Amino acid sequence: MADFEKQHSPDHSGNNNGVNRRHFVHTAGAASAAAILPKAKGAPLVRTAKAAGMQVNYGFIGPGSRGFRLLKRHLQHIEIGNCVGICDIYQPNLQKAVDLFNGKPNSYTDYRKLLEQKDIEAVFITTPLFMHFPVMRDALEAGKHVFCEKSLVFKPEEVHAVRELHEKHPNQVIQVGLQRRYSSFYRTAKEMIDKGVIGKITHVQAQWHRNKSWRRGVKDPSREEQINWRMYRKYSGGLCAELMSHQVDVADWMIGSKPKSVMGVGGIDYWKDGRDIYDNISLIFTYPEGEKLQYSSIMTNRHIEGRRTPGDGCREIIMGTDGAIEITLIPGGEGMWFRDPMREKMGEQKEVEEAWIAGATVADMVEQGEGLPIIPGAQDLNSGDVGFIEKEVEFAKRWLYNKGIMAPKEDRDPEYKELESFLLAVRDGGKPKADVEVGLQDSVAVILANHCMDEERKVYFSEIEQMGVDGVQLTKSTGSNTA
């Protein structure tokens, strides 16, 4: 039997030297062992909101490649947060994270010990996907607020369990790591869509294409599943969880509804290296009013037609009856708006005026089919409150951006904003943009997308209500654990 069970780390780095079999078995067995434990009597008290200007004490579980990035690049610079505890079973990762804060946080190899630290109000969870729910459950039962990287949960039964946990602990913040919800480009695109700038959305096309194996080097073959956990179904949701989760959330958000069905195909067609997750997926999600999300993720080519920026082949195109928005967060954020007014519409049967402004204007300088950049905070050119001169200035700015003379950019990194937003919600109250409902819907899409490919059939989202019922209980784990 392949043997990730020999070792386990709750991080995303793949560096796990020195972790023994006994430690991993305790960790991986926590979820199943917890199912037979009795429910805890009563919920812990939730700390009340702090005064403005005060810091939130937090713990961090799993500072591997993804987790350490969040700590180093963002969290250490967010003044309202105070890191007082860090947990990892891989000592080098743990030490590196503690050193980042000059040795001030307490260090743990058992996340339950971290959760016992009384002054910790919130936790960040960046473990491998299969450990998200056990750690999140124990954190909520310990009275902590939770930020958990996507996908929020791994299995159908965990969807139901998190719903129950949220009902049981309604005053505790649960936020999922879907940073596009905090992007100025994406939020501007959403405002444009809601105001009818591209008409009625009919289709979304999204892709995340890469030209690499996704594999990490393994010196000791016995550690293959531990280091390359993303490639094995018992720990990972594959391309759906790691990549598609971001983009199906964008489609849900922009369309303004949830899918009703999904169908598609996947295969292990090139990277025949022992993995059992698909190396390419093609999916179609259907929404209640007939909108479609056409999704593709492959690992043999990263080309994007008309690419303007380097980086992974990651992009979403939102298409409506009056235009389209093409947008990405990689590498630094970019959004383009393409005008394409429909000449005939249902119920109208008449031509619509293509020009937004009468007479010779800067708009006339925009060639047929040429896009204009989305500029966060820009004037709404559809608004009746915007005069002729203001529209001219705004068109001129967009034209200059399009020619590379000016460069639109995010006001702040969306990752920074999502982490700060979580801490603000803990301190001041409020609902995260990527809250528990957003996170659960995103996880359902991941679970059912994999399901439709495995079973080679159309799967309806209503099926989740009958999947995994009574599969996971809510009580926290006890005993020795090293996650």
Side-chain angles (χ1 to χ4, degrees), residues 124-397:
F124 292 88
I125 301 170
T126 59
T127 67
L129 175 54
F130 83 108
M131 284 299 296
H132 281 187
F133 173 75
V135 179
M136 176 168 45
R137 174 199 56 210
D138 291 355
L140 290 169
E141 292 285 13
K144 317 299 184 185
H145 302 276
V146 170
F147 177 99
C148 184
E149 269 297 352
K150 56 81 194 158
S151 292
L152 190 64
V153 296
F154 183 37
K155 300 176 181 179
E157 51 264 38
E158 295 169 357
V159 173
H160 309 305
V162 169
R163 286 174 180 166
E164 291 184 52
L165 281 166
H166 183 50
E167 290 179 3
K168 185 179 178 182
H169 306 284
N171 296 322
Q172 285 166 251
V173 177
I174 303 174
Q175 182 175 325
V176 65
L178 293 168
Q179 61 266 29
R180 283 160 179 76
R181 294 262 177 171
Y182 298 84
S183 159
S184 296
F185 280 107
Y186 282 80
R187 298 199 71 78
T188 299
K190 175 61 173 171
E191 290 174 7
M192 293 171 67
I193 289 166
D194 288 349
K195 292 176 180 178
V197 173
I198 65 170
K200 174 178 170 51
I201 294 177
T202 59
H203 293 81
V204 178
Q205 294 180 347
Q207 71 169 65
W208 202 325
H209 292 177
R210 291 179 166 181
N211 193 355
K212 56 185 177 182
S213 71
W214 215 8
R215 173 169 293 284
R216 289 175 173 166
V218 181
K219 294 181 179 179
D220 181 354
S222 68
R223 295 176 179 165
E224 162 60 22
E225 290 189 6
Q226 177 193 1
I227 293 172
N228 287 305
W229 63 269
R230 286 181 179 87
M231 298 183 179
Y232 300 98
R233 289 174 174 236
K234 51 188 170 181
Y235 316 115
S236 165
L239 294 172
C240 289
E242 297 297 313
L243 302 180
M244 185 205 76
S245 56
H246 286 296
Q247 295 173 290
V248 73
D249 178 59
V250 169
D252 290 359
W253 182 25
M254 299 300 168
I255 292 172
S257 64
K258 303 173 182 178
K260 67 176 186 179
S261 66
V262 59
M263 59 191 300
V265 294
I268 308 172
D269 300 314
Y270 184 83
W271 295 108
K272 299 180 184 296
D273 55 1
R275 72 185 66 200
D276 62 10
I277 59 107
Y278 298 130
D279 64 14
N280 68 100
I281 59 175
S282 297
L283 296 156
I284 300 176
F285 294 83
T286 301
Y287 289 76
E289 294 187 9
E291 306 96 331
K292 307 291 191 302
L293 164 60
Q294 300 164 301
Y295 186 78
S296 171
S297 184
I298 68 176
M299 303 181 75
T300 50
N301 192 294
R302 65 176 184 173
H303 177 72
I304 291 179
E305 183 179 359
R307 179 200 299 274
R308 287 175 295 279
T309 57
D312 281 356
C314 177
R315 188 150 301 192
E316 299 92 46
I317 303 172
I318 301 100
M319 292 179 284
T321 53
D322 289 338
I325 288 173
E326 186 174 333
I327 195 164
T328 184
L329 200 59
I330 295 176
E334 175 192 64
M336 297 292 291
W337 157 42
F338 297 85
R339 296 171 56 244
D340 185 20
M342 203 173 184
R343 290 187 176 273
E344 288 188 1
K345 294 185 179 181
M346 288 295 295
E348 294 185 13
Q349 301 303 317
K350 63 180 182 180
E351 289 192 356
V352 296
E353 182 62 45
E354 284 199 36
W356 284 29
I357 308 171
T361 68
V362 176
D364 297 329
M365 301 170 64
V366 180
E367 300 173 1
Q368 181 72 25
E370 184 176 351
L372 290 170
I374 292 173
I375 305 172
Q379 295 269 9
D380 175 11
L381 299 180
N382 257 351
S383 172
D385 297 330
V386 179
F388 176 84
I389 298 299
E390 287 84 356
K391 287 182 178 179
E392 283 291 279
V393 170
E394 207 56 58
F395 266 120
K397 284 168 60 180

Side-chain angles (χ1 to χ4, degrees), residues 15-34:
N15 296 323
N16 301 280
N17 298 319
V19 183
N20 63 39
R21 176 183 177 85
R22 177 176 59 82
H23 286 167
F24 176 75
V25 170
H26 279 262
T27 300
S32 58

Side-chain angles (χ1 to χ4, degrees), residues 77-98:
H77 305 297
I78 299 177
E79 294 183 355
I80 66 169
N82 180 35
C83 184
V84 297
I86 299 176
C87 177
D88 201 298
I89 61 172
Y90 181 54
Q91 189 61 37
N93 284 351
L94 178 60
Q95 192 60 52
K96 184 169 66 171
V98 171

Side-chain angles (χ1 to χ4, degrees), residues 47 108 113-121 144:
R47 294 172 178 81
Y108 301 92
K113 297 298 182 183
L114 179 146
L115 295 177
E116 291 174 3
Q117 188 173 325
K118 300 299 183 183
D119 61 340
I120 289 178
E121 300 163 87
K144 317 299 184 185

Side-chain angles (χ1 to χ4, degrees), residues 450-464:
N450 278 320
H451 198 59
C452 84
M453 292 185 289
D454 292 345
E455 297 202 350
E456 299 182 341
R457 70 176 178 90
K458 187 175 187 177
V459 170
Y460 290 88
F461 272 61
S462 59
E463 294 181 38
I464 195 68

